[in-house]
Amino acid sequence: MQRRESGVLTVSTSPDFAAKWLVNRLSRFAESCPDLDLRVAAATHYVDFARDDVDVAIRHGDGHWPGLDVKQLYSERLFPV
């Protein structure tokens, strides 16, 4: 509850996702929430929400992480090149 009232939103994601996708979209989000202090933590390790100061994590995977509320952002198709 303390973190919700702080006005800070910390998003953890992988460095490549942050650089190639998320950063290009942050300005629009920041404009829509000017009172929010948005922070991006680019890291490859998984987040421990009880220990880390992170509100939201965006990760690549199958989405089967017990105890977490998971939302699929998009599907992925892999093919040989």
Side-chain angles (χ1 to χ4, degrees):
M1 290 302 287
Q2 272 184 323
R3 290 194 52 75
R4 270 191 214 159
E5 296 172 3
S6 70
V8 175
L9 176 66
T10 303
V11 178
S12 172
T13 189
S14 62
D16 57 331
F17 185 81
K20 295 176 183 171
W21 191 88
L22 185 62
V23 170
N24 295 329
R25 291 159 174 83
L26 287 179
S27 63
R28 231 177 346 167
F29 180 79
E31 287 172 5
S32 69
C33 303
D35 296 332
L36 189 65
D37 181 7
L38 181 62
R39 299 176 185 177
V40 176
T44 56
H45 67 277
Y46 289 119
V47 173
D48 179 352
F49 288 99
R51 183 181 47 116
D52 299 330
D53 288 336
V54 172
D55 301 297
V56 177
I58 302 171
R59 292 292 186 262
H60 179 269
D62 62 9
H64 292 72
W65 292 297
L68 298 177
D69 184 20
V70 177
K71 304 288 185 223
Q72 182 177 359
L73 297 178
Y74 54 88
S75 60
E76 177 179 61
R77 277 185 18 182
L78 299 176
F79 53 89
V81 177

